[in-house]
Short mmCIF file of all heavy atoms in Angstrom, two decimals:
data_model
loop_
_atom_site.label_atom_id
_atom_site.label_comp_id
_atom_site.label_asym_id
_atom_site.label_seq_id
_atom_site.Cartn_x
_atom_site.Cartn_y
_atom_site.Cartn_z
N GLU A 300 129.78 98.44 125.54
CA GLU A 300 129.50 97.59 124.39
C GLU A 300 128.02 97.69 124.03
O GLU A 300 127.14 97.46 124.87
CB GLU A 300 129.87 96.14 124.66
CG GLU A 300 129.59 95.20 123.49
CD GLU A 300 130.38 95.58 122.24
OE1 GLU A 300 131.60 95.86 122.36
OE2 GLU A 300 129.75 95.59 121.15
N LEU A 301 127.75 98.04 122.77
CA LEU A 301 126.39 98.09 122.23
C LEU A 301 126.31 97.03 121.13
O LEU A 301 126.62 97.29 119.97
CB LEU A 301 126.08 99.47 121.67
CG LEU A 301 126.20 100.63 122.66
CD1 LEU A 301 125.99 101.96 121.96
CD2 LEU A 301 125.18 100.47 123.78
N PRO A 302 125.91 95.80 121.46
CA PRO A 302 125.97 94.70 120.51
C PRO A 302 124.81 94.69 119.52
O PRO A 302 123.80 95.37 119.71
CB PRO A 302 125.92 93.46 121.41
CG PRO A 302 125.06 93.92 122.56
CD PRO A 302 125.40 95.37 122.78
N ILE A 303 124.98 93.91 118.47
CA ILE A 303 123.86 93.59 117.61
C ILE A 303 122.90 92.73 118.42
O ILE A 303 123.30 91.88 119.19
CB ILE A 303 124.34 92.84 116.35
CG1 ILE A 303 125.24 93.74 115.52
CG2 ILE A 303 123.17 92.34 115.52
CD1 ILE A 303 124.54 94.98 115.01
N CYS A 304 121.60 92.95 118.24
CA CYS A 304 120.63 92.26 119.08
C CYS A 304 119.92 91.15 118.30
O CYS A 304 119.18 91.42 117.36
CB CYS A 304 119.60 93.25 119.63
SG CYS A 304 118.92 94.30 118.36
N PRO A 305 120.17 89.92 118.65
CA PRO A 305 119.43 88.83 118.01
C PRO A 305 118.13 88.55 118.75
O PRO A 305 117.92 88.98 119.88
CB PRO A 305 120.40 87.65 118.15
CG PRO A 305 121.13 87.95 119.44
CD PRO A 305 121.20 89.44 119.57
N ALA A 306 117.24 87.84 118.11
CA ALA A 306 116.01 87.38 118.73
C ALA A 306 116.06 85.86 118.88
O ALA A 306 116.81 85.19 118.17
CB ALA A 306 114.81 87.78 117.89
N ARG A 307 115.30 85.33 119.78
CA ARG A 307 115.26 83.89 119.98
C ARG A 307 113.96 83.36 119.39
O ARG A 307 112.86 83.70 119.83
CB ARG A 307 115.37 83.54 121.46
CG ARG A 307 115.54 82.06 121.75
CD ARG A 307 115.98 81.81 123.17
NE ARG A 307 117.32 82.25 123.42
CZ ARG A 307 118.40 81.51 123.14
NH1 ARG A 307 118.28 80.31 122.58
NH2 ARG A 307 119.60 81.98 123.41
N LEU A 308 114.09 82.50 118.38
CA LEU A 308 112.95 81.91 117.71
C LEU A 308 113.11 80.40 117.68
O LEU A 308 114.12 79.87 117.19
CB LEU A 308 112.83 82.43 116.27
CG LEU A 308 112.48 83.91 116.09
CD1 LEU A 308 112.57 84.28 114.62
CD2 LEU A 308 111.09 84.19 116.62
N MET A 309 112.13 79.70 118.24
CA MET A 309 112.13 78.24 118.23
C MET A 309 113.43 77.67 118.79
O MET A 309 113.99 76.71 118.29
CB MET A 309 111.89 77.71 116.81
CG MET A 309 110.58 78.17 116.19
SD MET A 309 110.34 77.62 114.48
CE MET A 309 110.21 75.88 114.73
N GLY A 310 113.89 78.33 119.86
CA GLY A 310 115.08 77.85 120.53
C GLY A 310 116.39 78.25 119.89
O GLY A 310 117.45 77.88 120.38
N LYS A 311 116.33 78.99 118.78
CA LYS A 311 117.53 79.40 118.09
C LYS A 311 117.72 80.91 118.17
O LYS A 311 116.75 81.67 118.20
CB LYS A 311 117.49 78.97 116.62
CG LYS A 311 117.51 77.46 116.42
CD LYS A 311 117.57 77.12 114.95
CE LYS A 311 117.66 75.61 114.75
NZ LYS A 311 117.74 75.26 113.30
N VAL A 312 119.00 81.35 118.22
CA VAL A 312 119.32 82.76 118.21
C VAL A 312 119.36 83.25 116.77
O VAL A 312 120.15 82.76 115.96
CB VAL A 312 120.68 83.01 118.91
CG1 VAL A 312 121.03 84.49 118.85
CG2 VAL A 312 120.64 82.53 120.35
N VAL A 313 118.50 84.21 116.43
CA VAL A 313 118.34 84.67 115.05
C VAL A 313 118.56 86.18 114.97
O VAL A 313 117.79 86.95 115.53
CB VAL A 313 116.94 84.33 114.51
CG1 VAL A 313 116.81 84.79 113.06
CG2 VAL A 313 116.65 82.85 114.65
N PRO A 314 119.62 86.63 114.28
CA PRO A 314 119.79 88.07 114.05
C PRO A 314 118.74 88.55 113.04
O PRO A 314 118.30 87.80 112.18
CB PRO A 314 121.21 88.17 113.46
CG PRO A 314 121.82 86.82 113.68
CD PRO A 314 120.72 85.83 113.74
N PHE A 315 118.37 89.80 113.13
CA PHE A 315 117.32 90.28 112.23
C PHE A 315 117.39 91.77 111.93
O PHE A 315 116.67 92.25 111.05
CB PHE A 315 115.94 89.99 112.83
CG PHE A 315 115.60 90.85 114.03
CD1 PHE A 315 114.83 91.99 113.88
CD2 PHE A 315 116.06 90.53 115.29
CE1 PHE A 315 114.52 92.78 114.97
CE2 PHE A 315 115.75 91.31 116.39
CZ PHE A 315 114.98 92.44 116.24
N SER A 316 118.23 92.53 112.62
CA SER A 316 118.10 93.98 112.61
C SER A 316 119.10 94.72 111.73
O SER A 316 119.38 95.90 111.97
CB SER A 316 118.21 94.52 114.04
OG SER A 316 119.51 94.26 114.57
N GLY A 317 119.62 94.07 110.72
CA GLY A 317 120.56 94.81 109.89
C GLY A 317 121.04 94.04 108.68
O GLY A 317 120.87 92.82 108.57
N GLY A 318 121.68 94.78 107.77
CA GLY A 318 122.32 94.18 106.61
C GLY A 318 121.43 93.25 105.83
O GLY A 318 120.26 93.53 105.54
N GLY A 319 121.96 92.08 105.51
CA GLY A 319 121.23 91.09 104.73
C GLY A 319 120.02 90.52 105.43
O GLY A 319 119.13 89.96 104.78
N TYR A 320 119.97 90.65 106.76
CA TYR A 320 118.83 90.10 107.50
C TYR A 320 117.52 90.81 107.16
O TYR A 320 116.45 90.24 107.28
CB TYR A 320 119.10 90.14 109.00
CG TYR A 320 120.33 89.36 109.40
CD1 TYR A 320 121.49 90.00 109.82
CD2 TYR A 320 120.35 87.97 109.30
CE1 TYR A 320 122.62 89.29 110.17
CE2 TYR A 320 121.48 87.25 109.65
CZ TYR A 320 122.61 87.92 110.07
OH TYR A 320 123.74 87.22 110.40
N PHE A 321 117.60 92.08 106.75
CA PHE A 321 116.39 92.79 106.33
C PHE A 321 115.79 92.16 105.08
O PHE A 321 114.60 92.25 104.84
CB PHE A 321 116.70 94.26 106.06
CG PHE A 321 116.81 95.09 107.31
CD1 PHE A 321 117.93 95.84 107.56
CD2 PHE A 321 115.79 95.13 108.23
CE1 PHE A 321 118.04 96.60 108.72
CE2 PHE A 321 115.89 95.88 109.38
CZ PHE A 321 117.01 96.62 109.63
N ARG A 322 116.63 91.52 104.27
CA ARG A 322 116.14 90.87 103.06
C ARG A 322 115.67 89.45 103.33
O ARG A 322 114.89 88.89 102.56
CB ARG A 322 117.22 90.86 101.98
CG ARG A 322 117.65 92.25 101.52
CD ARG A 322 118.60 92.18 100.35
NE ARG A 322 119.88 91.60 100.71
CZ ARG A 322 120.91 92.28 101.20
NH1 ARG A 322 120.78 93.58 101.39
NH2 ARG A 322 122.04 91.69 101.51
N LEU A 323 116.16 88.85 104.40
CA LEU A 323 115.84 87.46 104.69
C LEU A 323 114.64 87.31 105.61
O LEU A 323 113.87 86.35 105.48
CB LEU A 323 117.06 86.77 105.33
CG LEU A 323 118.32 86.66 104.46
CD1 LEU A 323 119.49 86.13 105.28
CD2 LEU A 323 118.07 85.76 103.27
N VAL A 324 114.48 88.24 106.55
CA VAL A 324 113.41 88.15 107.54
C VAL A 324 112.19 88.94 107.06
O VAL A 324 112.31 90.12 106.74
CB VAL A 324 113.87 88.69 108.91
CG1 VAL A 324 112.76 88.58 109.94
CG2 VAL A 324 115.12 87.93 109.39
N PRO A 325 111.02 88.31 106.95
CA PRO A 325 109.81 89.01 106.50
C PRO A 325 109.50 90.24 107.36
O PRO A 325 109.77 90.24 108.57
CB PRO A 325 108.72 87.95 106.64
CG PRO A 325 109.43 86.65 106.65
CD PRO A 325 110.76 86.90 107.28
N LEU A 326 108.92 91.26 106.73
CA LEU A 326 108.63 92.49 107.42
C LEU A 326 107.70 92.28 108.61
O LEU A 326 107.90 92.86 109.68
CB LEU A 326 108.03 93.52 106.44
CG LEU A 326 107.70 94.90 107.01
CD1 LEU A 326 108.95 95.56 107.57
CD2 LEU A 326 107.08 95.78 105.92
N TRP A 327 106.66 91.45 108.44
CA TRP A 327 105.73 91.21 109.54
C TRP A 327 106.42 90.61 110.74
O TRP A 327 106.09 90.94 111.89
CB TRP A 327 104.57 90.32 109.08
CG TRP A 327 104.99 88.91 108.69
CD1 TRP A 327 105.30 88.47 107.43
CD2 TRP A 327 105.15 87.78 109.56
NE1 TRP A 327 105.64 87.14 107.46
CE2 TRP A 327 105.54 86.69 108.75
CE3 TRP A 327 104.98 87.59 110.93
CZ2 TRP A 327 105.79 85.41 109.27
CZ3 TRP A 327 105.22 86.32 111.46
CH2 TRP A 327 105.63 85.26 110.64
N LEU A 328 107.41 89.74 110.51
CA LEU A 328 108.13 89.13 111.60
C LEU A 328 109.07 90.15 112.26
O LEU A 328 109.20 90.16 113.49
CB LEU A 328 108.93 87.91 111.11
CG LEU A 328 109.75 87.16 112.17
CD1 LEU A 328 108.86 86.71 113.32
CD2 LEU A 328 110.46 85.97 111.52
N GLN A 329 109.69 90.99 111.45
CA GLN A 329 110.55 92.04 112.01
C GLN A 329 109.75 92.93 112.96
O GLN A 329 110.23 93.28 114.05
CB GLN A 329 111.17 92.86 110.89
CG GLN A 329 112.23 92.13 110.09
CD GLN A 329 112.86 93.01 109.04
OE1 GLN A 329 112.80 94.23 109.13
NE2 GLN A 329 113.48 92.43 108.03
N ARG A 330 108.54 93.30 112.55
CA ARG A 330 107.72 94.17 113.39
C ARG A 330 107.37 93.49 114.70
O ARG A 330 107.39 94.12 115.77
CB ARG A 330 106.45 94.56 112.63
CG ARG A 330 106.70 95.58 111.51
CD ARG A 330 105.46 95.79 110.67
NE ARG A 330 105.66 96.87 109.71
CZ ARG A 330 104.85 97.10 108.68
NH1 ARG A 330 103.78 96.32 108.50
NH2 ARG A 330 105.11 98.09 107.85
N GLN A 331 107.04 92.21 114.65
CA GLN A 331 106.74 91.47 115.88
C GLN A 331 107.95 91.43 116.82
O GLN A 331 107.82 91.63 118.03
CB GLN A 331 106.29 90.06 115.54
CG GLN A 331 104.89 89.95 114.97
CD GLN A 331 104.41 88.51 114.89
OE1 GLN A 331 104.99 87.60 115.49
NE2 GLN A 331 103.33 88.28 114.15
N LEU A 332 109.11 91.20 116.24
CA LEU A 332 110.33 91.14 117.05
C LEU A 332 110.65 92.49 117.67
O LEU A 332 111.04 92.57 118.84
CB LEU A 332 111.50 90.65 116.20
CG LEU A 332 111.39 89.21 115.67
CD1 LEU A 332 112.52 88.90 114.71
CD2 LEU A 332 111.37 88.21 116.81
N LEU A 333 110.47 93.55 116.90
CA LEU A 333 110.74 94.89 117.40
C LEU A 333 109.83 95.26 118.56
O LEU A 333 110.25 95.89 119.53
CB LEU A 333 110.60 95.92 116.27
CG LEU A 333 111.65 95.87 115.16
CD1 LEU A 333 111.29 96.82 114.03
CD2 LEU A 333 113.02 96.21 115.72
N ASN A 334 108.59 94.86 118.46
CA ASN A 334 107.61 95.20 119.49
C ASN A 334 107.89 94.52 120.83
O ASN A 334 107.48 95.00 121.87
CB ASN A 334 106.20 94.86 119.02
CG ASN A 334 105.72 95.80 117.92
OD1 ASN A 334 106.15 96.95 117.81
ND2 ASN A 334 104.81 95.29 117.06
N ARG A 335 108.60 93.39 120.80
CA ARG A 335 108.85 92.69 122.04
C ARG A 335 110.23 92.96 122.62
O ARG A 335 110.59 92.36 123.61
CB ARG A 335 108.65 91.19 121.85
CG ARG A 335 109.21 90.58 120.81
CD ARG A 335 108.79 89.13 120.53
NE ARG A 335 109.87 88.21 120.80
CZ ARG A 335 109.96 87.00 120.31
NH1 ARG A 335 108.99 86.50 119.60
NH2 ARG A 335 110.99 86.23 120.59
N MET A 336 111.00 93.88 121.99
CA MET A 336 112.35 94.13 122.45
C MET A 336 112.51 95.57 122.93
O MET A 336 111.97 96.50 122.33
CB MET A 336 113.36 93.84 121.33
CG MET A 336 113.29 92.40 120.82
SD MET A 336 114.53 91.97 119.62
CE MET A 336 115.99 91.92 120.67
N ASP A 337 113.25 95.74 124.01
CA ASP A 337 113.50 97.07 124.57
C ASP A 337 114.74 97.73 123.97
O ASP A 337 114.93 98.93 124.12
CB ASP A 337 113.68 96.97 126.09
CG ASP A 337 112.42 96.49 126.78
OD1 ASP A 337 111.31 96.86 126.33
OD2 ASP A 337 112.53 95.72 127.78
N TYR A 338 115.57 96.93 123.32
CA TYR A 338 116.80 97.46 122.72
C TYR A 338 116.99 96.84 121.35
O TYR A 338 116.94 95.62 121.18
CB TYR A 338 118.01 97.14 123.61
CG TYR A 338 119.34 97.24 122.90
CD1 TYR A 338 119.92 98.47 122.64
CD2 TYR A 338 120.02 96.08 122.50
CE1 TYR A 338 121.14 98.56 121.97
CE2 TYR A 338 121.24 96.16 121.85
CZ TYR A 338 121.79 97.39 121.58
OH TYR A 338 123.00 97.49 120.92
N VAL A 339 117.22 97.69 120.35
CA VAL A 339 117.49 97.22 119.00
C VAL A 339 118.60 98.07 118.38
O VAL A 339 118.51 99.31 118.38
CB VAL A 339 116.24 97.28 118.10
CG1 VAL A 339 116.61 96.80 116.68
CG2 VAL A 339 115.12 96.42 118.66
N MET A 340 119.63 97.41 117.87
CA MET A 340 120.70 98.07 117.13
C MET A 340 120.49 97.80 115.65
O MET A 340 120.65 96.67 115.18
CB MET A 340 122.07 97.54 117.57
CG MET A 340 123.23 97.97 116.66
SD MET A 340 123.60 99.73 116.67
CE MET A 340 124.49 99.85 118.22
N PHE A 341 120.08 98.83 114.91
CA PHE A 341 119.92 98.71 113.46
C PHE A 341 121.24 99.06 112.77
O PHE A 341 121.97 99.96 113.20
CB PHE A 341 118.85 99.67 112.95
CG PHE A 341 117.47 99.38 113.45
CD1 PHE A 341 116.98 100.01 114.58
CD2 PHE A 341 116.66 98.48 112.78
CE1 PHE A 341 115.70 99.75 115.04
CE2 PHE A 341 115.37 98.23 113.24
CZ PHE A 341 114.89 98.85 114.37
N TYR A 342 121.53 98.35 111.68
CA TYR A 342 122.68 98.75 110.88
C TYR A 342 122.40 98.52 109.39
O TYR A 342 121.78 97.54 109.00
CB TYR A 342 123.96 98.01 111.31
CG TYR A 342 124.02 96.54 110.95
CD1 TYR A 342 124.70 96.08 109.82
CD2 TYR A 342 123.40 95.59 111.76
CE1 TYR A 342 124.76 94.74 109.50
CE2 TYR A 342 123.46 94.23 111.46
CZ TYR A 342 124.14 93.82 110.33
OH TYR A 342 124.20 92.48 110.01
#
């Protein structure tokens, strides 16, 4: 299983790496999340 990878922000699980989330999550925040994760599934 290769799941979609959410990030944890302010105690909440937040998806960010695909589809509509690219339009909802600011680019600067996406970059920060990517830098702190060892696995990311983009779609």
Side-chain angles (χ1 to χ4, degrees):
E300 180 61 45
L301 302 175
I303 296 298
C304 49
R307 189 166 291 276
L308 293 173
M309 301 177 66
K311 294 184 177 181
V312 178
V313 181
F315 71 97
S316 64
Y320 300 109
F321 282 125
R322 297 187 293 273
L323 297 172
V324 181
L326 181 60
W327 65 267
L328 180 56
Q329 290 183 20
R330 287 172 173 166
Q331 286 190 14
L332 295 173
L333 291 173
N334 289 333
R335 48 190 249 201
M336 302 185 72
D337 297 324
Y338 161 77
V339 179
M340 168 67 77
F341 295 93
Y342 71 98

